[in-house]
Amino acid sequence: MRVLVVDDEPALRESLRRGLAAGGWSVETAPDGEAGLEMVCGDDFDVVVLDIMMPRRSGYEVVREMRRGGIWTPVLMLTAKDGEYDEADAFDLGADDYLVKPFSFVVLEARLRALVRRGAPERPATFEAGDLVVDPAAREVRRGDTRISVTAREYAVLEYLIRNRNQVVSKAQIMRAVWDSAYDGDDNIVEVYVGYLRRKIDTPFGAHAIETVRGQGYRLVDSEVTPSGTAPRGR
């Protein structure tokens, strides 16, 4: 099994190289993000160990460029930063697992084996429904070539809908996914935010991406703007 270790700390990089090699891994190393990206783009690896805070290119930048380039090799990210937002950023950009330094080498190797067993199924860098595009890495929404400004909450509702494209999702499901457990308001807040989204991603373009399924919830479907400025109903 071939592993690429990308870390700017020479001692840690060498320790991982020796430990993994002793465990039967074929190990290549890179001292910074730029070198790591060049290596992963030019060779085949079963898994990548990637530090976040590095010179030239951060681990965030490397994994984002990998996924944008269609490289789906599993990535385990290492960082001295410990926080739920750092972890969320890593996963949003396309990482598969995450360890905070200092970590157990036994746990690291076990997680690498699990990632290799899981393989590298192709995962979209963006979510698309017709010409509506949601980019989790950039937190960006586009309709065709037009970038659409949305609030953080609007984005979260839209991302949940497009991740479940063509499926009916209830208000309760959206509430659980987007609002935290401390929120004790009415679930009609979901209807309010769906309305906000329609006014931004549908109405100005004559599109109908977000459908209301009476008595059940909402469904996001493919819907594109036609040359005349009106869009056909979702296919």
Side-chain angles (χ1 to χ4, degrees):
M1 293 179 290
R2 300 194 69 218
V3 56
L4 173 64
V5 175
V6 187
D7 197 297
D8 65 323
E9 297 180 42
L12 177 59
R13 192 169 65 245
E14 178 61 14
S15 174
L16 290 177
R17 187 193 67 77
R18 290 183 178 181
L20 290 169
W25 296 78
S26 174
V27 187
E28 299 287 341
T29 66
D32 58 60
E34 186 69 32
L37 183 60
E38 290 178 4
M39 291 178 70
V40 80
C41 288
D43 206 343
D44 291 324
F45 295 94
D46 294 298
V47 66
V48 176
V49 178
L50 183 63
D51 189 29
I52 289 181
M53 303 304 292
M54 292 186 292
R56 301 182 72 190
R57 279 184 185 265
S58 70
Y60 291 141
E61 292 176 284
V62 172
V63 73
R64 180 175 59 219
E65 291 305 313
M66 286 174 61
R67 300 316 187 215
R68 284 181 173 174
I71 299 171
W72 307 108
T73 307
V75 172
L76 185 148
M77 300 195 83
L78 303 177
T79 182
K81 300 171 69 177
D82 184 9
E84 60 183 11
Y85 291 106
D86 302 317
E87 184 173 353
D89 286 343
F91 288 130
D92 281 343
L93 288 167
D96 299 272
D97 205 350
Y98 183 99
L99 275 180
V100 177
K101 301 175 183 176
F103 52 83
S104 161
F105 182 81
V106 172
V107 171
L108 169 72
E109 192 170 14
R111 291 194 179 186
L112 291 179
R113 289 195 300 267
L115 290 177
V116 171
R117 285 195 302 271
R118 192 186 308 166
E122 184 169 329
R123 295 155 298 180
T126 60
F127 296 93
E128 300 180 9
D131 65 354
L132 178 66
V133 178
V134 174
D135 184 341
R139 288 289 202 280
E140 185 175 283
V141 178
R142 300 189 306 276
R143 171 72 79 176
D145 294 329
T146 304
R147 183 173 178 177
I148 302 169
S149 176
V150 295
T151 67
R153 187 78 72 182
E154 290 166 352
Y155 175 85
V157 173
L158 179 58
E159 183 180 324
Y160 183 77
L161 289 171
I162 203 166
R163 283 180 181 270
N164 294 278
R165 183 170 63 95
N166 295 326
Q167 300 179 46
V168 178
V169 292
S170 67
K171 287 183 180 179
Q173 287 175 303
I174 297 172
M175 287 283 292
R176 284 195 298 270
V178 176
W179 278 264
D180 61 44
S181 58
Y183 179 77
D184 60 358
D186 196 294
D187 67 1
N188 282 332
I189 190 68
V190 174
E191 185 176 337
V192 171
Y193 275 87
V194 167
Y196 292 158
L197 285 171
R198 282 176 169 150
R199 288 195 287 273
K200 290 185 176 184
I201 69 170
D202 279 347
T203 303
F205 304 94
H208 302 278
I210 303 177
E211 297 181 339
T212 297
V213 181
R214 192 174 301 278
Q216 298 183 53
Y218 302 98
R219 175 171 54 210
L220 189 140
V221 298
D222 292 356
S223 182
E224 297 184 359
V225 178
T226 64
S228 63
T230 58
R233 290 282 175 176
R235 298 188 296 273

